[in-house]
Amino acid sequence: MLTAITAGAPLAWPPGVLGAEDRARFARYAEALAFYEGEQWLGRPRRGETRLTFNYARAIVRKTAAYVFPEPATFTVAPGEGGDEATANAAERVLAALCAELDLGRLDAELCIESSALGDAAVKVTWDAVLGRPEVAPVDPATLAVATAPDNPRRVRRLTQVYALAEADATALFGLNGGVGAGNRLVTVAETWSDARWRVEIGGQVARDGENPYGWIPYVVLPNGARPGRGGFWGESDLVDLYDACRELNSRLSILSRVLDLSGAPIAVLENVDGSEGISVGPGAKWELPEGARAYLLDLLSGGGVGLHVQYVDLLFRALHDLSETPRTAFGDSGRDLSGAALEVEVQP
């Protein structure tokens, strides 16, 4: 009997595949993804607390991907020594048509965003026998674990991907005739690849274990810079440097918002008064106060306090700009009049 899994439940990895570093990596992915999607406050809100989120982290990642890939990447097929130029040109046209058909230009931008936000991205490159063409599909890096060569952490010796599929989809995908049901119940699929072998386990049972039909591991992992001292294979999220700046910006702007909100509904201060019955603030309101009493409105904007908040917010914006190293033109402010060609040159990475 296959082991079904429920939505949101952890996937069952084969024994001995995951290590402590992999679990820490998955936790980093979850933290970075939540931050990218706007969950940027720490702790629970206090009663009545207003929490504003200005998601500059996501804006910076998207803007960076937009000017790193302003248009699809191009390539040239060289005829090589003694080669036929006409044949090379024909191959170039076929490859360009395939790239357009697979929409690889948009995939490049999506992978750039994922690698920048999570620290890693990946694709699986396989052959579709029905369509007679390669397939390039994005892969969640949180479903991957690798074993690298002991003398070279950049050389992958074995890769395992674990994911969930409906029984019917697993049957159709792997061409199985029995042992797997045809319903919508989810089962865990574990694919283990090396240059020589391809092993598939479905629900803990071996469905395939044979020769690798490609002769290489059909995955491309895109780490966003190696993490020093942490294996040298997986990358690191660009959001790590933005965590504190974005959280402080959200906090300062939320405080400034509350100050301005209270200033729009001023607080009445009464001195030497036993009670406030009959006292109301509004146009044309009249107060009768006892002798020696004093009343005034509390001015939260006096003393330049708001100006200090604004100056601090400007410093935080400067820190975000410096940390992201994004051209100011990418934010719509070049500070001068430039032609279209000059703007394109300025925002190039």
Side-chain angles (χ1 to χ4, degrees), residues 59-132:
I60 288 172
V61 169
R62 286 180 171 178
K63 287 177 182 291
T64 301
Y67 77 76
V68 169
F69 292 103
E71 56 188 17
T74 58
F75 57 89
T76 301
V77 177
E81 185 177 353
D84 182 5
E85 186 172 348
T87 301
N89 291 337
E92 185 175 313
R93 288 192 295 270
V94 171
L95 289 174
L98 179 62
C99 290
E101 185 178 359
L102 296 177
D103 200 9
L104 296 186
R106 186 174 67 173
L107 180 60
D108 282 339
E110 292 174 352
L111 293 174
C112 181
I113 291 174
E114 183 168 24
S115 182
S116 179
L118 299 185
D120 299 292
V123 292
K124 186 178 184 181
V125 185
T126 54
W127 179 258
D128 191 321
V130 176
L131 298 178

Side-chain angles (χ1 to χ4, degrees), residues 296-328:
Y296 60 91
L297 298 178
L298 183 62
D299 186 5
L300 297 178
L301 304 181
S302 62
V306 171
L308 291 176
H309 278 290
V310 173
Q311 292 176 23
Y312 185 46
V313 168
D314 287 339
L315 289 175
L316 291 173
F317 278 130
R318 182 183 302 176
L320 283 175
H321 176 262
D322 292 343
L323 288 170
S324 64
E325 295 187 1
T326 305
R328 193 62 208 167

Side-chain angles (χ1 to χ4, degrees), residues 8-53:
L11 297 172
W13 287 77
V17 172
L18 285 186
E21 291 186 356
D22 289 308
R23 293 185 176 88
R25 174 168 57 91
F26 296 161
R28 292 196 302 270
Y29 290 161
E31 180 185 16
L33 180 60
F35 194 88
Y36 177 82
E37 293 180 344
E39 298 179 23
Q40 299 178 2
W41 287 82
L42 296 176
R44 294 183 178 181
R46 297 186 297 273
R47 183 176 181 180
E49 179 184 9
T50 299
R51 289 186 166 184
L52 304 178
T53 300

Side-chain angles (χ1 to χ4, degrees), residues 94-272:
V94 171
L95 289 174
L98 179 62
C99 290
E101 185 178 359
L102 296 177
D103 200 9
L104 296 186
R106 186 174 67 173
L107 180 60
D108 282 339
E110 292 174 352
L111 293 174
C112 181
I113 291 174
E114 183 168 24
S115 182
S116 179
L118 299 185
D120 299 292
V123 292
K124 186 178 184 181
V125 185
T126 54
W127 179 258
D128 191 321
V130 176
L131 298 178
R133 70 176 191 188
E135 286 291 344
V136 182
V139 173
D140 183 358
T143 65
L144 300 179
V146 301
T148 59
D151 58 341
N152 185 358
R154 299 174 61 185
R155 188 169 76 243
V156 179
R157 298 176 62 181
R158 185 179 67 253
L159 182 147
T160 301
Q161 182 186 12
V162 175
Y163 53 94
L165 277 183
E167 290 177 329
D169 293 334
T171 300
L173 181 61
F174 297 104
L176 304 178
N177 297 322
V180 179
N184 293 322
R185 186 179 63 162
L186 293 178
V187 294
T188 299
V189 179
E191 297 186 50
T192 301
W193 294 82
S194 67
D195 290 338
R197 301 194 69 79
W198 174 33
R199 178 185 175 93
V200 179
E201 297 180 20
I202 302 179
Q205 299 181 9
V206 178
R208 280 184 184 275
D209 190 1
E211 183 181 357
N212 183 341
Y214 302 110
W216 63 83
I217 300 175
Y219 290 80
V220 179
V221 180
L222 308 168
N224 186 35
R227 296 171 59 85
R230 300 200 180 185
F233 182 82
W234 298 104
E236 184 174 25
S237 170
D238 287 330
L239 300 182
V240 171
D241 296 328
L242 304 179
Y243 283 166
D244 290 341
C246 288
R247 284 170 176 149
E248 184 68 7
L249 179 64
N250 292 334
S251 176
R252 292 300 105 189
L253 288 176
S254 296
I255 291 174
L256 183 57
S257 172
R258 289 196 292 272
V259 170
L260 295 176
D261 187 43
L262 291 174
S263 299
I267 301 173
V269 180
L270 305 178
E271 294 183 357
N272 300 325

